[in-house]
Amino acid sequence: MDTLVGLLPIILMFVIFYFLLIRPQQKKQKQVQQMQSDLQKGDRVITIGGLHGTIHAIDEGTLVITVQDGTQMKFDRSSVREKLS
């Protein structure tokens, strides 16, 4: 009984840690993966490096992004940070 009472604060700290840090991060990662899998030709995006452009072509794991001056660059699909509306 004493060991259970001694472990209770540690267990409580782990539960709080899980709900405040781990779970929200997992939800955010899942949303980002869903957004990356839903990308389509013509979508305006921002890459992790801050490049703004429009998707010109999409392959299985890569996409071609056209920037303002017409230059086309090839990126991994996972390098897209956000999709602009």
Side-chain angles (χ1 to χ4, degrees):
M1 185 70 175
D2 289 335
T3 57
L4 183 61
V5 172
L7 289 176
L8 190 60
I10 295 172
I11 294 170
L12 185 62
M13 284 176 41
F14 179 75
V15 169
I16 291 170
F17 182 76
Y18 176 78
F19 282 106
L20 291 178
L21 296 175
I22 296 172
R23 190 165 180 254
Q25 183 64 28
Q26 288 175 340
K27 285 179 75 175
K28 182 175 179 166
Q29 183 64 29
K30 190 174 184 179
Q31 288 174 340
V32 168
Q33 288 176 342
Q34 182 65 38
M35 179 270 305
Q36 289 172 347
S37 67
D38 291 343
L39 291 174
Q40 298 177 357
K41 183 177 178 179
D43 287 344
R44 295 181 56 223
V45 295
I46 301 175
T47 65
I48 292 172
L51 179 85
H52 293 241
T54 305
I55 297 176
H56 177 73
I58 296 179
D59 197 3
E60 183 70 27
T62 61
L63 44 92
V64 177
I65 296 178
T66 304
V67 293
Q68 188 173 6
D69 68 353
T71 304
Q72 294 182 350
M73 297 181 211
K74 191 172 189 177
F75 286 90
D76 286 339
R77 188 182 287 252
S78 62
S79 68
V80 175
R81 181 181 69 194
E82 70 181 277
K83 177 179 164 182
L84 301 174
S85 55

